Amino acid sequence: AQSVSQHNHHVILSEAASLELGCNYSYGGTVNLFWYVQYPGQHLQLLLKYFSGDPLVKGIKGFEAEFIKSKFSFNLRKPSVQWSDTAEYFCAVNLHGSSNTGKLIFGQGTTLQVKP
Amino acid sequence: KAGVTQTPRYLIKTRGQQVTLSCSPISGHRSVSWYQQTPGQGLQFLFEYFSETQRNKGNFPGRFSGRQFSNSRSEMNVSTLELGDSALYLCASSWGLAGRSSYEQYFGPGTRLTVT
């Protein structure tokens, strides 16, 4: 079955440190890829998405992600984190099939704690 | 534009009862997807509706059902509640067709269901 794996379940960083969260998926076909963030007490919101073209995509709040097709990966990065980045981060995949439905397959999530 | 709204926000039910959750998508959005979020299983896809038709269904028992109305509002129903149904139920709406670069799911705040 198709799945999404996020390597880090809990990450603790100091402010200004660089961030990289890993995401791998298992599906050999065409995919669309997303990173969502859930701040404490808030609902899921989209950070960035990849559909086609340039594999390096930029999102909101200084986040970016790189799609490496050969590695089935879509890692999230930020050069310098802030205390306000403390949140849970989810990688999600939408598989292309005959129906192209909107089913998202989510990873387990990574809790990021940024210490001031 | 108002976001995705879900009612009620919190619900406590007894095992064996049934429950109906409601979701109002963003105005103009025709697709509604439902997800279950639990600490153990993470975010899991329940089903997706588009123009009142169920387009995709996740791997959940038949006790979980849903429907969509002509105004795109959606409801999901869980019959014969079990303790394991305790979860945050998220609704997401989208405008375009999955697979296109404009595609994005916008999430509501969720309904927290507790089964005792």
Side-chain angles (χ1 to χ4, degrees):
Chain A
Q2 297 86 10
S3 64
V4 178
S5 297
Q6 292 183 235
H7 314 304
N8 318 96
H9 295 297
H10 198 154
V11 173
I12 302 174
L13 295 173
S14 298
E15 275 194 313
S18 64
L19 169 73
E20 180 158 5
L21 301 181
C23 172
N24 284 88
Y25 63 93
S26 61
Y27 181 67
T30 304
V31 295
N32 297 142
L33 299 154
F34 305 81
W35 274 97
Y36 280 87
V37 61
Q38 191 169 32
Y39 297 103
Q42 297 187 28
H43 53 265
L44 278 166
Q45 54 185 284
L46 184 70
L47 269 180
L48 47 77
K49 59 185 178 182
Y50 171 80
F51 278 77
S52 62
D54 189 345
L56 185 63
V57 292
K58 295 189 184 300
I60 61 171
K61 304 187 181 186
F63 286 91
E64 64 178 33
E66 184 176 14
F67 171 50
I68 304 179
K69 191 174 180 180
S70 61
K71 295 185 178 180
F72 301 92
S73 70
F74 189 56
N75 292 352
L76 180 71
R77 299 195 292 248
K78 186 171 185 180
S80 175
V81 295
Q82 301 173 311
W83 176 79
S84 57
D85 293 325
T86 294
E88 190 158 14
Y89 293 80
F90 295 92
C91 180
V93 171
N94 177 233
L95 311 178
H96 277 230
S98 58
S99 57
N100 261 15
T101 67
K103 173 183 176 179
L104 292 181
I105 302 172
F106 282 87
Q108 284 290 89
T110 297
T111 301
L112 171 65
Q113 183 183 352
V114 180
K115 293 183 173 180
Chain B
K1 237 182 200 181
V4 177
T5 57
Q6 293 186 246
T7 56
R9 292 293 310 279
Y10 302 92
L11 206 48
I12 300 175
K13 288 285 188 178
T14 303
R15 194 170 44 182
Q17 288 185 315
Q18 75 163 16
V19 67
T20 300
L21 311 181
S22 181
C23 171
S24 292
I26 292 172
S27 177
H29 286 194
R30 295 166 63 189
S31 172
V32 172
S33 299
W34 288 89
Y35 297 85
Q36 182 196 64
Q37 187 176 20
T38 59
Q41 300 297 318
L43 278 150
Q44 293 188 290
F45 173 80
L46 279 157
F47 24 65
E48 181 200 13
Y49 287 88
F50 183 84
S51 293
E52 302 179 66
T53 302
Q54 186 181 89
R55 296 211 305 165
N56 204 341
K57 190 177 190 305
N59 190 24
F60 278 83
R63 300 184 297 106
F64 291 81
S65 62
R67 59 178 175 168
Q68 187 179 34
F69 302 95
S70 58
N71 62 358
S72 294
R73 191 177 68 85
S74 177
E75 288 181 348
M76 67 162 281
N77 185 278
V78 188
S79 62
T80 319
L81 284 166
E82 299 177 0
L83 295 178
D85 297 333
S86 294
L88 181 67
Y89 289 89
L90 295 172
C91 167
S93 75
S94 56
W95 173 78
L97 290 173
R100 298 191 179 179
S101 60
S102 59
Y103 186 78
E104 180 178 334
Q105 290 192 12
Y106 294 81
F107 283 81
T111 294
R112 173 75 61 187
L113 172 64
T114 302
V115 182
T116 61

